[in-house]
Amino acid sequence: MRIVALAGGIGGARFLRGLRELTGPQDEITVIGNTGDDIHLFGLKVCPDLDTVMYTLGGGIHEEQGWGRADETWSVKEEMKAYGVGPDWFGLGDRDFATHIVRTQMLAAGYPLSAVTEALCARWQPGVRLLPMSDDRVETHVRITEDGAPRVVHFQEYWVRLHAAVDAEAIIAVGADTAKPAPGVLEAIAAADVILLPPSNPVVSIGTILGVPGIRQAVASAAAPVVGLSPIIGGAPVRGMADKVLAAVGVEASAEAVALDYGSELLDGWLVDTTDAAAVETVEAAGIACRAVPLLMTDVAATAGMARAALELAEQVRA
């Protein structure tokens, strides 16, 4: 089976771990990773979502945080602070710095991000093919009002420094309109047997990937069934602050509203949590097959069960 998953952040990475546990060596999993969260810090190119997938599947993630490296130390960060060099709100540990240094050196040498990601994954052996959505620079920014004045901040500043404590008034994917899909992205979608939308943030993770010209069209026109899993359970995000960015694009924070926003032209199937079973009728009325199953990723086995339900629903809509 050839499986393509669009993923970003912690929810996507943990779902992929369950999917990999469920599948066998004969299956091919291609992950198209969000790069809209990318940021330049201290002269280095940082790709949080790509690294979270790579570390999680490669056994190097800080499990409690869900991001960053396990057994991390913070000497460089402390020294930067002693020099008065910021920002101090974004934590890069010593082990993590090494990844960003290697990436930045390779990019400076002329390698595209897709080739750099492949080289980094050669160390971690994540068991999937990890592709950035684009080799071009795309950065998600958020328009807010702070201290009575409107301003636009990088998504990382909104998420990490501000903790999404102020309303997001607009989400702007800078550079997305002129970006091109990375090599292999459209080909993987066209060749897929199943396309999955994990429970990642539907606006700034999966939404940003779909915003790269050509990707949404490729997914919508693919022969493979497209099945998504709700990141909203009981009217609230399982993790993070997806409700804040959903509000910015005029979408209610509910399992059915997210499905309807993706639309039946994109989705063939949608999984909601058992607590949202009442949403099934609404989603199916919109032309999207829907099932209610447990969607809490309490451990790898539970997550593999979610992946199994997604693949089973894909087979049902294929038939």
Side-chain angles (χ1 to χ4, degrees):
M1 183 180 295
R2 290 165 296 188
I3 304 169
V4 169
L6 280 56
I10 298 169
R14 288 182 171 171
F15 174 79
L16 290 166
R17 187 160 55 184
L19 176 64
R20 190 188 59 182
E21 183 77 10
L22 178 67
T23 55
Q26 73 280 5
D27 299 308
E28 299 176 7
I29 302 174
T30 299
V31 178
I32 301 171
N34 171 46
T35 60
D37 288 11
D38 292 5
I39 188 170
H40 283 77
L41 295 170
F42 313 114
L44 301 176
K45 170 81 165 179
V46 181
C47 300
D49 281 6
L50 293 179
D51 290 346
T52 296
V53 171
M54 183 175 70
Y55 292 156
T56 299
L57 300 183
I61 199 74
H62 188 301
E63 288 291 346
E64 289 73 26
Q65 292 179 161
W67 54 270
R69 291 285 305 279
D71 303 317
E72 190 59 279
T73 55
W74 303 92
S75 298
V76 175
K77 182 182 179 184
E78 291 166 3
E79 286 298 306
M80 297 296 282
K81 185 176 181 180
Y83 279 114
V85 176
D88 60 3
W89 47 263
F90 197 97
L92 293 180
D94 301 331
R95 294 173 183 268
D96 205 21
F97 260 110
T99 298
H100 310 314
I101 291 169
V102 172
R103 177 185 292 116
T104 306
Q105 286 181 331
M106 291 188 69
L107 290 171
Y111 292 95
L113 182 60
S114 51
V116 175
T117 303
E118 183 179 5
L120 293 172
C121 285
R123 173 191 174 185
W124 290 100
Q125 295 295 307
V128 302
R129 183 188 183 200
L130 178 59
L131 300 175
M133 66 187 195
S134 178
D135 283 336
D136 300 319
R137 183 171 177 173
V138 179
E139 289 187 1
T140 301
H141 290 206
V142 182
R143 192 181 75 221
I144 62 171
T145 297
E146 189 176 28
D147 298 326
R151 61 187 295 244
V152 175
V153 298
H154 192 286
F155 173 73
Q156 294 295 348
E157 183 174 357
Y158 178 74
W159 211 247
V160 180
R161 184 180 75 84
L162 298 174
H163 303 291
V166 297
D167 290 339
E169 298 165 3
I171 309 297
I172 308 104
V174 179
D177 56 339
T178 57
K180 296 181 179 62
V185 167
L186 298 183
E187 293 82 355
I189 293 170
D193 296 309
V194 179
I195 299 172
L196 300 178
L197 306 186
S200 298
N201 191 303
V203 179
V204 296
S205 290
I206 294 178
T208 304
I209 298 170
L210 293 171
V212 174
I215 294 184
R216 185 182 183 98
Q217 297 92 319
V219 172
S221 61
V226 180
V227 175
L229 297 91
S230 176
I232 305 294
I233 294 179
V238 178
R239 185 185 180 102
M241 297 155 274
D243 52 330
K244 294 285 190 176
V245 291
L246 282 167
V249 297
V251 177
E252 179 186 68
S254 69
E256 60 266 39
V258 173
L260 298 180
D261 187 55
Y262 279 135
S264 59
E265 74 282 358
L266 185 77
L267 285 178
D268 298 300
W270 185 244
L271 294 180
V272 300
D273 188 73
T274 50
T275 61
D276 294 311
V280 170
E281 183 177 355
T282 301
V283 175
E284 293 210 318
I288 303 167
C290 187
R291 305 289 184 271
V293 299
L295 290 185
L296 285 176
M297 294 187 282
T298 51
D299 53 34
V300 175
T303 309
M306 291 167 52
R308 181 181 296 106
L311 295 179
E312 288 174 351
L313 181 54
E315 283 303 309
Q316 291 170 17
V317 298
R318 193 199 312 273

